[in-house]
């Protein structure tokens, strides 16, 4: 009789359903493999050597009587059984496509990526076309990398998380586009990578931003044509193109090294995550992973055999986030990037898809995933930012179910673009946006929102650059291949000259003033400011406001413009510093009694043709100076009365009509000895009363 202590455990023989993915068990010198597939009928694990990617060294067939628990297929293999294998994948067979809601997409010959793989290897023969065609894509399929191989790159312990409050200024960045140009000054081997970002940290510190928001860094399909990265292949692995090469395991090591370096500089790291669709598209798209593992689990289906995939993302499919297994995958992905990746926050692309029920309808009351995220201890101190809409719904502000989330404020963007352009009838709405958009984020007893939950921005990756916003009346998206029909319709104005060729000096002067107006008002607004990379030196995309598929000099930052427009960089730097120096701007709560509104006279002019107003902000409650801001978006110089304080108390520190190569902070403040200030047309003037 065998002693009980000598018996192998059930998990040692059959594997464990937890955790999903491939897990190295050092105490047992073995690997556990687990994959979710509710409808699979046959499941095979494939192990590949690094030098043989077409024929697996081992093919293990799961036996549902031994290797399946609920909807999870699992097994354990010893290190000896795995041998020198470096990569793994699955092959899964199941029912044929059924009618309506049972639209399965199994293909027994397809080599399938593990959804939970922590590193993805794209072989030299990787082919999206092979994944679209029926039949085998062996040697051309993305593979998961086995964890904890002998050649794995060691990773230094993660630094503590960074968190900013009143001094939070977000810089939206594309990892590749940030340093890909030769004139970035980054070593050739580092350009367009995580290491390139590290090399530019001194620049970020000089500019003064306190957080970077990285456009998608999770592995996306490099052959789909989405340069921005909004076509995710894996929700766990860093994008291979952002590492400097070498072993695939360098991906996470270099990402972590970048995060640690940014943290050492006091800069938060927020990543843009796309949990609303995948790169597999609709029924005409490839089968890399989710379709072939369990189509009805991972995707929202319509019941229409001709158009089986719901498309609330605008990209061909919609992730089925109402499904428990999909919610689990998302939660595990968030935990992984927060714990192992060390990130400080997430920006959720098309976050309203989280409110979609299985039939596509909206659950605005209590979508389960929000409660699950809120209850995660590992995510308790992580910043959550929503893009609060999808293709079919707009949930900005209190209409969004994540009541404690921050949100991209599209209403702020539209209002400030129109107001600075000179549109009429916007004084009241502009005041509301500067105040923190309390109409959208109310702080009454029931809602208790805070102004910092509004992410204020004028431009983002999705739209014109700030310079193009003042240089083009019409978008110029012809290169994208959609007959110029794509792209967001910004409220732009070219200042009297279309484009960037042969611009008259007077027009260029006005454009620069308009850019200063935009950024000055952004930094003076209650809420959390965000701006896109390169706006600080007038980066242009030639009027292309949707260059999602332009991996070229259209989207790569032209660092030569930093040398060409040092005055603009200096203004941005000084405005960021000014905001940090005045915490009364960015408070925990709304300004309430601390603010008093004026016009050129004592009362605000709310008439339709009015384009001017002013305000006094009392800084005493925050131990800050008082501010008096005068905003004139008319075309004429106007005399503004100063309706608080006495002559001689106020210092003029900012005037956006002035061009200064060294920035306004280097200038001596001008003491105002009268009870009025003449403000030029299309300008903002800021006064400070010290010791308010």
């Amino acid at each position: 009789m065998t002693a009980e202590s000598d018996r192998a455990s059930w998990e040692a023989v059959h594997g464990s359903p937890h955790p999903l993915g491939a897990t190295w068990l050092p105490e047992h010198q073995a690997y556990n493999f687990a994959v979710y597939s509710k409808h699979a009928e046959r499941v095979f694990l494939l192990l590949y050597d690094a030098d043989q990617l077409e024929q697996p060294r081992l093919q293990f067939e799961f036996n549902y009587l031994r290797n399946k628990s609920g909807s999870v297929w699992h097994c354990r293999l010893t290190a000896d059984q795995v041998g020198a294998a470096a990569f793994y994948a699955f092959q899964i067979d199941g029912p044929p496509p059924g009618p309506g809601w049972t639209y399965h997409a199994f293909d027994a010959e397809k080599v399938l990526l593990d959804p939970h793989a922590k590193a993805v290897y794209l072989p030299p023969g990787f082919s999206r076309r092979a994944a679209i065609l029926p039949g085998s894509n062996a040697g051309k399929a993305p593979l998961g990398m086995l964890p904890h191989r002998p050649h794995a790159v060691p990773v230094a312990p993660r630094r503590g998380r960074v968190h900013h409050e009143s001094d939070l200024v977000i810089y939206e960045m594309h990892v590749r586009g940030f340093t890909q140009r030769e004139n970035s000054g980054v070593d050739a081997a580092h350009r367009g990578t995580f290491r390139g970002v590290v090399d530019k940290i001194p620049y970020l510190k000089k500019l003064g931003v306190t957080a970077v928001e990285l456009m998608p860094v999770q592995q996306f399909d490099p052959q789909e044509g989405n340069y921005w990265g909004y076509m995710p292949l894996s929700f766990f692995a860093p994008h291979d193109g952002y590492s400097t090469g070498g072993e695939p395991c360098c991906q996470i090591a270099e990402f972590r090294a970048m995060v640690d370096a940014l943290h050492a500089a006091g800069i938060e790291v927020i990543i843009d995550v796309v949990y609303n669709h995948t790169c597999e598209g609709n029924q005409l798209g490839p089968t890399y992973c989710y379709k072939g593992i369990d189509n009805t689990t991972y995707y929202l289906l319509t019941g229409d055999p001709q158009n089986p995939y719901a498309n609330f993302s605008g990209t061909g499919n919609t992730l089925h986030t109402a499904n428990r297994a999909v919610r689990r995958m998302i939660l595990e992905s968030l935990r992984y990037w927060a714990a192992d990746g060390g990130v400080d926050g997430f920006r959720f692309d098309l976050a309203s898809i989280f409110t979609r029920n299985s039939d596509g309808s909206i659950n605005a009351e209590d979508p389960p995933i929000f409660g699950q995220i809120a209850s995660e201890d590992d995510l308790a101190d992580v910043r959550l930012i929503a893009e609060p809409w999808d293709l079919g719904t707009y949930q900005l502000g209190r209409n969004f179910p994540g009541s404690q989330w921050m949100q991209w404020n599209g209403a702020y963007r539209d209002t400030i673009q129109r107001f600075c352009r000179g549109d009429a009838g916007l004084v009241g709405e502009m005041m509301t946006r500067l105040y923190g958009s309390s109409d959208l984020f109310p702080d009454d007893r029931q809602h208790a929102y805070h102004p910092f939950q509004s992410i204020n921005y004028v431009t983002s990756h999705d739209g014109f650059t700030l310079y193009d916003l003042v240089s083009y009346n019409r978008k110029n998206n012809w290169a994208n291949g959609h007959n110029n029909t794509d792209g967001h319709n910004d409220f732009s104005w070219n200042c009297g000259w279309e484009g960037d060729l042969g611009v008259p000096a007077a027009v260029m002067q006005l454009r620069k003033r308009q850019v200063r107006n935009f950024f000055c008002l952004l930094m003076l607004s209650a809420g959390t400011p965000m701006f896109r990379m390169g706006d600080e030196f007038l980066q242009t995309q030639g009027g292309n406001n949707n260059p999602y598929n332009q991996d070229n000099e259209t989207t790569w930052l032209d660092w030569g413009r930093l040398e060409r427009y040092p005055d603009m960089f200096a203004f941005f730097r000084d405005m960021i510093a000014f905001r940090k120096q005045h915490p009364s701007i960015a408070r925990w709560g709304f300004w309430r009694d601390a603010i008093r509104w004026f016009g050129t006279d004592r009362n605000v002019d709310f008439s339709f043709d009015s384009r001017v107003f002013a305000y006094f902000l009392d800084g005493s409650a925050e131990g800050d100076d008082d501010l008096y801001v005068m905003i004139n978006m008319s075309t004429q110089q106007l005399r503004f009365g100063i309706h608080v304080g006495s002559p001689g108390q106020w210092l003029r520190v900012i005037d956006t009509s002035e061009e200064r190569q060294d920035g306004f902070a280097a200038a001596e403040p001008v003491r105002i000895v009268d009870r009025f200030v003449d403000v030029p047309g299309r300008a903002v003037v800021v006064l400070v009363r010290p010791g308010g």
Side-chain angles (χ1 to χ4, degrees), residues 499-617:
D500 200 28
L501 198 62
V503 184
V507 171
M508 191 65 200
Q509 187 177 38
L510 177 56
R511 287 179 179 178
K512 293 169 75 173
R513 181 187 295 196
Q514 284 289 82
V515 168
R516 289 193 293 271
N517 287 335
F518 278 122
F519 198 70
C520 179
L521 292 172
L522 178 65
M523 289 297 121
L524 293 175
S525 299
T528 299
M530 181 192 79
F531 65 104
R532 58 177 290 162
M533 67 178 193
D535 277 351
E536 69 274 17
F537 49 72
L538 304 186
Q539 173 71 8
T540 180
Q541 293 175 165
N544 193 329
N545 76 350
N546 188 41
Y548 74 96
N549 58 2
Q550 300 299 309
D551 185 6
N552 51 50
E553 292 191 348
T554 298
T555 52
W556 304 342
L557 281 196
D558 180 1
W559 290 88
R561 295 178 76 87
L562 175 60
E563 299 177 4
R564 186 176 173 184
Y565 301 113
D567 56 320
M568 300 308 300
F569 174 85
F571 184 84
F572 275 61
R573 177 201 64 205
D574 289 354
M575 276 307 314
I576 292 171
F578 183 85
R579 181 181 178 89
K580 291 179 182 178
Q581 292 160 6
H582 295 284
S584 61
I585 298 172
R587 307 183 187 208
W588 168 257
F590 289 99
W591 292 334
R592 290 189 169 274
D593 294 340
I595 192 167
R596 293 165 62 187
W597 302 96
F598 302 101
T600 53
D601 297 321
R602 184 166 293 275
N603 296 320
V604 179
D605 180 0
F606 287 106
S607 66
F608 181 77
D609 291 328
S610 173
R611 293 172 176 84
V612 301
F613 65 96
Y615 64 89
F616 163 76
L617 185 61

Side-chain angles (χ1 to χ4, degrees), residues 4 11 108 150 167 193 200 309 334 343 513 622 646:
E4 185 173 347
E11 290 186 355
D167 62 340
T193 69
K200 280 293 185 181
Y309 292 92
L334 292 172
V343 304
R513 181 187 295 196
E622 303 293 323
S646 304

Side-chain angles (χ1 to χ4, degrees), residues 406-418:
M406 305 171 82
Q407 300 178 37
W408 272 30
N409 190 342
Y412 180 95
R413 174 200 61 203
D414 294 348
T415 302
I416 195 171
Q417 284 185 5
R418 294 180 62 207

Side-chain angles (χ1 to χ4, degrees), residues 306-382:
Q306 302 302 313
N307 297 287
Y309 292 92
N311 187 22
F312 297 110
S313 65
T315 56
N317 63 53
T318 302
L319 211 60
H320 188 187
T321 60
N323 182 280
R324 287 178 295 175
V326 177
R327 294 201 308 269
R328 174 185 176 184
M329 178 184 69
I330 292 171
L331 265 293
E332 290 182 0
S333 173
L334 292 172
R335 283 196 296 266
Y336 175 73
W337 286 97
D340 290 50
V343 304
D344 307 293
F346 300 94
R347 180 266 187 187
F348 294 80
D349 180 66
L350 300 183
S352 289
I353 280 176
F354 282 174
T355 68
R356 295 282 177 183
N357 294 314
S358 295
D359 62 359
S361 62
I362 298 292
N363 177 0
E365 296 301 319
D366 189 22
I369 195 167
F370 290 97
Q372 288 180 267
I373 293 174
S375 64
E376 282 286 332
D377 290 341
D378 293 338
L379 303 176
D381 60 345
V382 170

Side-chain angles (χ1 to χ4, degrees), residues 153-218:
V153 177
V155 177
R158 178 173 61 80
R159 292 178 178 269
R161 190 162 282 124
V162 175
H163 185 81
H164 291 276
E165 294 181 343
S166 65
D167 62 340
L168 179 60
V169 179
I170 301 174
Y171 188 75
E172 190 192 27
M173 176 195 298
H174 187 281
V175 169
R176 178 169 169 81
F178 189 51
T179 63
Q180 182 59 28
R181 281 209 197 210
E182 183 178 354
N183 65 5
S184 66
V186 170
D187 182 86
H190 291 183
R191 290 178 201 148
T193 69
F194 299 130
R195 288 185 176 179
V197 174
V198 173
D199 292 344
K200 280 293 185 181
I201 288 177
Y203 170 80
L204 297 174
K205 289 288 290 181
K206 184 178 180 181
L207 179 59
V209 296
T210 54
V212 293
E213 183 174 298
L214 305 178
M215 291 173 67
V217 296
Q218 295 173 340

Side-chain angles (χ1 to χ4, degrees), residues 18 54 93 133 183 201 218 251 280 342 636:
H18 308 289
E54 294 191 18
D93 197 8
L133 297 173
N183 65 5
I201 288 177
Q218 295 173 340
Q251 299 165 12
E280 291 189 317
Q636 304 298 316

